[in-house]
Amino acid sequence: MEKMSFRKKRIGWLLIFLTLMLAACGTGKKKTGYAGAGPDAQADLETDVSTEALIEELIPEDAITVGFVQVGHESDWRIASTRSCQEEFSEENGYRLLFLDADNSPAAQVRAVRNFIKDKVDYIVIDPIVTTGWTAVLKEAYHAGIPVFIIDRTVDCSPRYYQAWIGSDFVQEGRCAGQWLQNYLSRRGRANEPVHIVTINGTTGASAQLGRTEGFQEYVERNKNWMLLDEQSGDFTESGGKQVMEAYLKAYGERIDVVVCQNDNEAFGAIEALKEADVSYGRDGELVIISFDATKAGLKAVLDGEIHADFECNPMAAPYVAQAIRSMEQGGVPAGKKQYMEEQCFTCEEAPMTLSVNGKTYEMVTVTEEVIEERAY
Ligand code: GYE
């Protein structure tokens, strides 16, 4: 017997509820916390609508309603992630998307999920700013029968309360950066010289920050000649990266050999600070810059020799979620509880190296104009 999908069951309840409501009154009043897809989506609307319009609003033909709460708009990576979700969950693809940009506020994210539950959406997608604070609201969604997908960053909550997580192995990304630096230094005969490192971290408590820090730290511990001078958060933003780099230059000046930026936008900010302070960096300079994300703009900085190595983080999780929704609509289950995205490592070096990291091999890609052209984000 064909299993009934989550949505069909809920639409059934919704129809019963609407029939009762229509019998009781002639018009309905609708209050919603969101608009369609778009960054200004939180318009709080209160409008009178006819019962016919209400039905159309709530069940537009066969559309699947997805509530997606995004971290914010702090980086190029994030903009690419938002665009990918909006394209995937478009009307043409049979969706009605309720989008909320939480502007880096964890409380706003939890509120948004509660509103999605109240609005009885078919599916909820969350990119959690921080790992903590999710259990209560995820349990609420679970008990309301609304399937939840977590994308990109992770949550500290029993996996029982969500369908699947789709994202990147941040610890592995951090390890790749560490392994690259280790190889790079030995290639230059600096394997035993003291190396002074500063890191510009992402948003504190985000799994992308925690994972990249943990992975890189393994190599700091392994290489006794590496000295981690400082680590501060640049909040994954360009202005944050610049500010932190300025502070590092004041505190440590010429001692800094390597700057690890936990995303491209922080690297752009750090580069600005280095330029303004007239410090030589990059392929033809002294100081080495490492970054994560490998966005189009990041790869351009690699091609120009400003960033030495950039470790990809794929922002295109939405198609994987759509695939899982399709299978759930047919009574199936998502392809896996944990789904990792494929990622590459990029460099400005003409003789790229092979990285062997935790049992996995990565052939680093030398960035060219063609590599940048092929990049979608
Ligand atoms: O690296 C950064 C963004 O969570 C992996 O968040 C994501 C990070 C990404 O703002 O650019």
Side-chain angles (χ1 to χ4, degrees), residues 134-254:
W134 287 103
T135 303
V137 76
L138 290 184
K139 274 187 183 170
E140 289 166 35
Y142 179 80
H143 292 302
I146 303 177
V148 172
F149 291 95
I150 310 290
I151 61 166
D152 170 29
R153 303 182 187 173
T154 56
V155 286
D156 284 343
C157 170
S158 162
R160 174 161 182 232
Y161 299 112
Y162 54 86
Q163 295 298 315
W165 166 84
I166 298 145
S168 306
D169 188 340
F170 301 120
V171 179
Q172 184 74 352
E173 289 175 1
R175 285 188 193 121
C176 285
Q179 184 67 58
W180 175 82
L181 184 60
Q182 192 178 295
N183 293 10
Y184 174 85
L185 293 170
S186 60
R187 241 190 204 183
R188 305 210 156 216
R190 291 174 63 188
N192 299 311
E193 280 175 24
V195 178
H196 299 95
I197 304 169
V198 288
T199 70
I200 304 180
N201 289 353
T203 302
T204 308
S207 70
Q209 176 270 315
L210 296 166
R212 288 169 187 167
T213 302
E214 183 188 326
F216 188 74
Q217 186 62 30
E218 286 179 16
Y219 284 80
V220 174
E221 276 156 30
R222 213 175 280 178
N223 291 274
K224 298 298 171 210
N225 56 320
W226 294 13
M227 269 154 283
L228 189 56
L229 295 178
D230 213 335
E231 42 183 337
Q232 287 178 33
S233 172
D235 235 351
F236 283 130
T237 64
E238 191 159 331
S239 58
K242 184 170 184 207
Q243 238 176 330
V244 173
M245 192 66 231
E246 283 168 352
Y248 285 164
L249 287 173
K250 255 199 204 129
Y252 311 105
E254 308 266 297

Side-chain angles (χ1 to χ4, degrees), residues 220-331:
V220 174
E221 276 156 30
R222 213 175 280 178
N223 291 274
K224 298 298 171 210
N225 56 320
W226 294 13
M227 269 154 283
L228 189 56
L229 295 178
D230 213 335
E231 42 183 337
Q232 287 178 33
S233 172
D235 235 351
F236 283 130
T237 64
E238 191 159 331
S239 58
K242 184 170 184 207
Q243 238 176 330
V244 173
M245 192 66 231
E246 283 168 352
Y248 285 164
L249 287 173
K250 255 199 204 129
Y252 311 105
E254 308 266 297
R255 284 169 70 203
I256 305 169
D257 298 303
V258 179
V259 184
V260 181
C261 303
Q262 285 189 347
N263 80 344
D264 284 342
N265 290 81
E266 289 181 340
F268 305 150
I271 288 169
E272 265 179 68
L274 292 168
K275 274 188 183 145
E276 282 172 19
D278 218 7
V279 174
S280 104
Y281 67 93
R283 186 176 40 208
D284 309 319
E286 296 293 319
L287 195 144
V288 172
I289 300 178
I290 295 173
S291 183
F292 295 88
D293 280 358
T295 55
K296 216 178 183 92
L299 291 184
K300 174 83 176 51
V302 177
L303 181 70
D304 294 345
E306 298 197 287
I307 293 175
H308 271 81
D310 204 345
F311 299 89
E312 185 183 20
C313 185
N314 188 339
M316 307 298 187
Y320 292 76
V321 176
Q323 178 59 44
I325 289 179
R326 273 193 294 275
S327 76
M328 288 182 74
E329 287 294 304
Q330 283 154 20

